[in-house]
Structures are given as structure tokens and as C-alpha cells.
Amino acid sequence: MSVPLTTENPVVPLELVATFSGAMPAGVAVSRAGRIFVNFPRWDEQAPATVTELRNRHCEPYPDRRWNSPGTDDDPRGFVSAQSVVVDTADRLWILDSGSPMFRPVVTGGPKLVCVDLTDDTVVETIVLGPEVAPPTAYLGDVRIDLRRGSGGLAFVTDATDKGPNAIVVVDLVSGAAWRRLEGHPSTRAEGPRTFRPVVEGRPFVERPVDGPARPVAVGADGLAISPDGSRLYYCPLASRHLYSVSIDALADPTLDDASVAATVVDEGDKGSGAAGLETDHLGRVYLTAYEHDAVLRRRTDGEYETVAHDPRLLWPDAMSVSSDGYLYVTANQLHRQARFQLGQDLRRKPYALFRLPIDGRPAG
């Protein structure tokens, strides 16, 4: 008698939304009206535009070509290398500019948060992140916006660098003041090979330079998500299978000392895979892009995990966005096939892809 492999099958087919034959996509954000924005960090190749809107399956520079044509790495009015995009609850687009094209050291003026009003596609706010929160070694990875905090909201940004201390950066969206939290804390750091040995496509995921020995990937705090009630910020290092959370009340209080903030950190346990991106829905569930399994997993409110997507085309699922009409969007960019991980050989096969799948959830917040 045949025995089914599972008694329930939550996996649903992926719908291909768009393909990309140029630079690698990273982030995706979907507005309340269904507009789709995709960003292309300037990592190992030049992207014609680092922030785009997807229109009729074509990427158009957004909000215009000028913002996508920076004069220098410290251009405060140009996107140097956009790393993440997110739509807030007021239906505005926020762009996180890492200021680090080709992973170069950042200079003041490059790292910034830019807000675009989607009603008329104009930039309404630019917050330059100075060296006190974005030092030369920083690599700003992901951003989430909480408009319930303070007089005009807070942003939370991960410093995912593999060249210095990792941290979570908190930004007051009204004053522009910013501060680093959990700098160098174990929860924001990459795990070493004694506790974490990731495997992607059947091979250990390590840096493989042409002229030296292989070394562990050391990217720290990367993915972010806010709980629907606004009480906890979820985060995870790229090089870890652990999910963490921290009190947003503690992060939001610049008068607290580091020990008091760290005391609110909770190790939420092993999530079964390394993950590049996190997202939440209005039902309190946490989604993660499981790059070791070509999958998207979901942590239910009871702490159990389930698979919501598993597909061989999900080669390095990266970022996600929940749409108002009940879809989860996810990019797949084959990051692990880059030359730095493959003895100098670029093994990526274009095109890259943006997928979506139906879920019974809506955006949190």
C-alpha cells in the first residue's frame, strides 16, 4: 500500500509575474493599488536603473531617470545602489539606498532613505544616514516602516555587513535622527561554521575566491518584518537558521542603554533554513525565503512552520511583499551562483524572476 509523503499539502503553484534579463533584482514592493516596484542593487554589474516600476512587464526607472543616474557615490539626490523597497501603510514607497555600489565603502550622502508619494510620483522626503549609523564598513540590507511610532513614524534598517559590526538602525522619520542598536550582538551576527553550514543546490554555500581558500559567508542581520500589533521586530542574519525578535518599544527609545535593549531580544528558534527575506501578514504569520530549500516557509502563530511554496525555479528567493488582494510576491535572483561563490565563474542563468502565489493574508499594519 502506498503511503502519502504528507497528509496535507499547503504548497500552491507559483505564478510568473515578470522576468529580468539584465541586472539581478533584489527587493519588491506592491502598493495598495497594485503597482509593483522592483529594485536592482548595483552589485557586480551596472543596472540601467536601480529602482523601477513594473509596467506591462517592463521595468521603467522610478520615479525618474535623474534619480537613477547618480553623479557620485555620495550623491544625496540620486540612488547610488538601492537595496530594498517597501510600501508603508500610507501607501508611500520608501527606498533604502545602501550607498555601496560594487560593495565599495560607503561615503556620507550615499546611504539614505527616500520616500516617494505614489499619488503624484514625487520625492517628498530624503533622509541621509550619516557615518554615526552608516560607517564606511556598513552594508544596509533591509528596511521596514512603522508609522505608529513617534510623531511621524520610525524606520528600521539592518546593517548586514560582512566587514564590520552588524546592527539594527532606527530612524526617526520626522527629525531624521538615527541610532544603532544591537551592534555586535550575537543575534545580529553571522553564525560560524561550527553551528551553521548552509547548503544550496546540494553544495556548501561558502565564498570561493580564485586565489585563496574557501571561507564562510559572514553576512549578518538582513531580513526584517514587523509584527501586526507593532510590538516586535523580527530579524535574522543571512548566515543563520535562527529567527530573532526584539521589542520595538526598546528600539524606539533612544535613551535606553544597549543592555536594556538587548534584554528584550528573544531567540525565536530554528526556522529550518537560512533566509534572505522576512515578511508578515495581518494574521500574525511570518514568511521567510528559505534559500537552502528553493522555498518560502511560513511560521504560524503557534510557532509551527509550513511550506507555502517550493519550486526549483525559486533559486535564491530573496525579498517578499504581501499585496492587498491576497498575494505574496517573491523575487528569485540566483545570488549563490555569483562568481564570488563559484571560484570566479558566474554560473547564473538569465532571466531572473518575480513570482507570486495566493495566500489568505493581507499586509500587516
Side-chain angles (χ1 to χ4, degrees):
M1 182 176 67
S2 65
V3 178
L5 293 177
T6 179
T7 57
E8 58 180 90
N9 183 15
V11 182
V12 298
L14 292 174
E15 176 185 344
L16 181 64
V17 177
T19 57
F20 312 101
S21 297
M24 292 170 58
V28 58
V30 183
S31 76
R32 299 301 187 265
R35 297 171 67 181
I36 302 170
F37 303 92
V38 181
N39 68 281
F40 300 82
R42 292 181 168 119
W43 284 334
D44 57 356
E45 54 194 345
Q46 286 298 313
T50 189
V51 180
T52 70
E53 181 177 1
L54 194 61
R55 301 171 187 164
N56 299 318
R57 294 181 178 260
H58 294 286
C59 291
E60 301 293 338
Y62 190 83
D64 55 37
R65 292 192 179 278
R66 169 61 187 92
W67 269 97
N68 282 277
S69 304
T72 60
D73 285 1
D74 60 356
D75 188 342
R77 287 187 282 275
F79 299 132
V80 179
S81 182
Q83 178 61 34
S84 180
V85 288
V86 66
V87 172
D88 67 19
T89 54
D91 211 26
R92 299 175 300 178
L93 181 70
W94 288 86
I95 297 115
L96 173 65
D97 189 344
S98 73
S100 180
M102 310 294 284
F103 300 101
R104 291 195 290 265
V106 301
V107 289
T108 302
K112 54 188 168 290
L113 280 171
V114 177
C115 180
V116 183
D117 186 337
L118 296 181
T119 61
D120 58 7
D121 301 318
T122 59
V123 172
V124 293
E125 188 170 2
T126 300
I127 301 173
V128 173
L129 301 174
E132 70 281 1
V133 293
T137 59
Y139 192 85
L140 304 181
D142 204 352
V143 60
R144 289 295 182 269
I145 306 294
D146 189 349
L147 298 183
R148 295 167 288 195
R149 298 284 169 167
S151 60
L154 296 177
F156 304 100
V157 176
T158 48
D159 183 350
T161 183
D162 61 359
K163 300 178 178 65
N166 303 108
I168 294 174
V169 176
V170 186
V171 186
D172 185 307
L173 298 179
V174 174
S175 69
W179 51 96
R180 287 172 71 91
R181 288 303 199 189
L182 301 178
E183 180 169 283
H185 189 270
S187 68
T188 63
R189 297 199 306 259
E191 290 188 44
R194 290 193 175 188
T195 56
F196 180 62
R197 291 180 177 272
V199 175
V200 184
E201 288 196 278
R203 299 183 64 194
F205 175 55
V206 294
E207 292 200 31
R208 294 187 178 92
V210 176
D211 55 354
R215 53 181 180 262
V217 174
V219 178
D222 191 14
L224 279 178
I226 298 174
S227 65
D229 64 2
S231 66
R232 307 292 293 180
L233 181 71
Y234 294 101
Y235 60 99
C236 61
L238 184 81
S240 172
R241 294 191 187 101
H242 279 249
L243 177 70
Y244 298 94
S245 72
V246 63
S247 165
I248 290 182
D249 282 342
L251 290 176
D253 186 350
T255 68
L256 285 184
D257 60 30
D258 290 339
S260 298
V261 178
T264 72
V265 171
V266 173
D267 184 341
E268 302 282 354
D270 191 318
K271 54 186 174 5
S273 174
L278 299 176
E279 185 61 286
T280 48
D281 67 19
H282 78 293
L283 297 175
R285 299 171 300 186
V286 182
Y287 297 80
L288 58 112
T289 50
Y291 62 72
E292 292 187 81
H293 303 301
D294 307 338
V296 175
L297 306 182
R298 179 167 64 194
R299 182 180 185 261
R300 303 191 310 237
T301 55
D302 61 3
E304 293 298 315
Y305 284 81
E306 58 190 1
T307 302
V308 294
H310 177 241
D311 193 297
R313 295 173 296 170
L314 276 176
L315 289 171
W316 200 275
D318 198 330
M320 296 171 289
S321 181
V322 175
S323 66
S324 297
D325 57 349
Y327 284 91
L328 180 73
Y329 287 72
V330 56
T331 56
N333 61 20
Q334 305 176 44
L335 179 146
H336 63 291
R337 291 180 171 182
Q338 287 178 295
R340 65 185 291 193
F341 308 113
Q342 305 293 342
L343 292 173
Q345 298 183 66
D346 185 354
L347 301 182
R348 293 170 296 175
R349 296 181 181 178
K350 298 178 183 181
Y352 312 113
L354 172 65
F355 299 101
R356 73 174 187 175
L357 62 144
I359 59 171
D360 57 341
R362 300 188 304 276

